Amino acid sequence: MNDRTMVGAGVSMATLSLYEHTGGQLDRLTEVLGFDPADRRPRELLGKLLGPGGESSLADPPSFSSNVADDTTPIEFSVAFDTTGECAVRVLGESAVPSAPRDFLDSVAAEYRLDTTRLDTVSDLFLPPGERQGPFTLWYSLIFRPGRDPRIKVYLNPQISGPAQADSLVGEGLRRLGIPGAFGPVTEHALPRAGQDSFAFFALDLDRGPRSRVKVYVAHEAADCSDVERAAALVPGVDPLQIREFCAVLGGGKGPFRDRPLVSSYSFVEGHQDRPGNYSLYLPIRSYVPDDAVARARVQAILAQYDFDGEKLDDAISAVSGRNLRNGVGLISHVSLRVGEFGSGITVYLSSEAYRVMPARRRPVLGVSR
Ligand code: TRP
């Protein structure tokens, strides 16, 4: 980060609270993507999720250090482009009162007609009393689509009782949710590299619909593209070439991806039993580009490949940040490819950068050295 961005950020943000800053970003994001500005539910849910911690001034040090984003902001935005032509805006967030992570849920469950039955079924596994390990306890995803009711998803942490327990927590969780046969194939396809592949998230949709999903996420340390091609092959009909191209265009090659890990996820719905209907690959692009101008160009290339509207991406970026994309890295944090029978598309994750802009890396210099 150069001096100018620091001064600029300091002047414009010092007087804002965390909620005002992220709320403004969310308002602009939903507006540029065609939501009805009179619908205040996105902003209301964001406020409730942050809770009293949202009132803290950005001029003060963060009240706790969240792993949702690199600069400890407990919020991350994403824009999902669907092949149906629809676009969703999502907020990944952690309650700014981490000691009471379920308060948010309890405060909105009735109004948003959430179904917490499945969460209750696995709560003792993933929210054990006493000491908790790993990077988080409970994260939420708020999912907004124009003209539809908001949806909410929870993320649980398979590492909560330590890495040695992760497999059995996930296996038992799947069993209790009625898909016991899912564990074996997932392990075979996504976790063959002991010590390098590990369960990262266990997620549940909280709505009552027939498409309400159970998702398991696997992080692949130092993986090659071939490792995620194998993971993707569990879902019928996924073209390995698409996976390879995604890694090449966004990650700059076929790996190994030794910085932040590639992540796979599988979605299961009731009735489909052991077979996941969808596969997603998440690439932490911020670790593989010098700055956000390069990240943006790569994302534009993959959006063009699938005929998604690149202007929407630029509008979304401007809604979240006014900074020069060259002056930092991590505004575009991840990009994901989603394939399967429950819907396919590309999702772009955008950081709030409420507390900090991560400095750009050096770019290669073009020319002969003298
Ligand atoms: N910040 C964490 C990470 O980068 C968690 C996270 C936030 C994440 N958004 C994500 C992980 C999207 C995978 C995909 O790992």
Side-chain angles (χ1 to χ4, degrees):
M1 157 169 37
N2 63 27
D3 290 339
R4 222 201 226 135
T5 45
M6 279 186 78
V7 171
V11 167
S12 62
M13 302 197 308
T15 52
L16 291 185
S17 71
L18 177 61
Y19 170 63
E20 287 165 333
H21 175 75
T22 52
Q25 289 172 316
L26 181 59
D27 277 348
R28 292 188 293 276
L29 204 48
T30 49
E31 193 192 328
V32 298
L33 292 170
F35 288 63
D36 176 4
D39 183 357
R40 304 310 293 154
R41 290 178 300 177
R43 180 113 188 199
E44 185 202 345
L45 280 169
L46 173 72
K48 286 191 171 161
L49 174 54
L50 288 173
E55 303 306 323
S56 58
S57 165
L58 292 182
D60 297 331
S63 58
F64 79 107
S65 183
S66 173
N67 286 307
V68 164
D70 296 349
D71 72 337
T72 76
T73 307
I75 292 294
E76 181 183 68
F77 302 102
S78 58
V79 177
F81 295 87
D82 292 341
T83 51
T84 58
E86 274 200 324
C87 228
V89 169
R90 305 185 317 180
V91 177
L92 172 67
E94 177 167 17
S95 166
V97 193
S99 55
R102 258 197 84 149
D103 282 7
F104 163 67
L105 201 57
D106 299 331
S107 75
V108 298
E111 186 182 350
Y112 289 91
R113 287 178 288 118
L114 304 182
D115 183 354
T116 61
T117 319
R118 293 182 305 154
L119 175 61
D120 299 333
T121 306
V122 298
S123 272
D124 62 308
L125 301 172
F126 293 101
L127 302 171
E131 203 210 322
R132 294 170 177 178
Q133 303 183 43
F136 75 104
T137 297
L138 199 53
W139 284 352
Y140 295 96
S141 179
L142 314 174
I143 305 164
F144 307 111
R145 289 176 196 275
R148 302 234 220 128
D149 288 338
R151 289 170 45 202
I152 299 179
K153 183 165 123 189
V154 282
Y155 296 86
L156 299 160
N157 175 11
Q159 310 284 329
I160 198 95
S161 294
Q165 297 300 318
D167 290 14
S168 57
L169 288 192
V170 170
E172 174 63 9
L174 291 170
R175 194 189 66 75
R176 289 196 198 167
L177 294 169
I179 35 178
F183 185 75
V186 165
T187 314
E188 256 167 57
H189 279 81
L191 295 106
R193 302 175 313 139
Q196 290 187 295
D197 299 313
S198 60
F199 286 110
F201 306 101
F202 189 93
L204 300 168
D205 283 340
L206 294 179
D207 44 66
R208 298 164 205 250
R211 290 205 156 187
S212 192
R213 296 160 305 170
V214 178
K215 289 184 79 175
V216 293
Y217 296 71
V218 176
H220 309 283
E221 294 292 341
D224 277 315
C225 193
S226 60
D227 295 312
V228 289
E229 283 170 47
R230 186 196 321 99
L234 178 57
V235 173
V238 177
D239 181 354
L241 224 121
Q242 285 189 334
I243 302 286
R244 225 170 296 156
E245 184 182 61
F246 186 83
C247 290
V249 171
L250 294 164
K254 52 185 169 50
F257 296 94
R258 294 190 191 283
D259 207 303
R260 290 192 177 83
L262 298 179
V263 172
S264 290
S265 81
Y266 299 103
S267 303
F268 298 88
V269 295
E270 256 171 71
H272 284 67
Q273 297 297 329
D274 310 342
R275 268 288 172 109
N278 265 62
Y279 173 79
S280 298
L281 171 62
Y282 307 78
L283 192 145
I285 189 168
R286 66 196 186 285
S287 294
Y288 301 98
V289 288
D291 59 50
D292 282 300
V294 175
R296 173 195 163 272
R298 291 187 184 183
V299 178
Q300 285 293 0
I302 202 81
L303 291 178
Q305 181 78 319
Y306 293 106
D307 209 16
F308 288 121
D309 183 356
E311 257 178 57
K312 281 192 185 156
L313 173 70
D314 286 338
D315 290 346
I317 291 174
S318 309
V320 170
S321 175
R323 76 165 165 83
N324 183 334
L325 296 180
R326 283 281 186 218
N327 293 343
V329 67
L331 177 63
I332 304 179
S333 52
H334 293 87
V335 187
S336 75
L337 175 72
R338 187 162 24 92
V339 223
E341 58 182 297
F342 313 136
S344 301
I346 301 268
T347 303
V348 186
Y349 294 76
L350 299 172
S351 301
S352 167
E353 298 187 332
Y355 289 107
R356 224 192 124 192
V357 175
M358 296 301 154
R361 300 185 184 91
R362 284 171 63 124
R363 278 178 284 139
V365 176
L366 187 64
V368 290
S369 47
R370 294 166 201 277

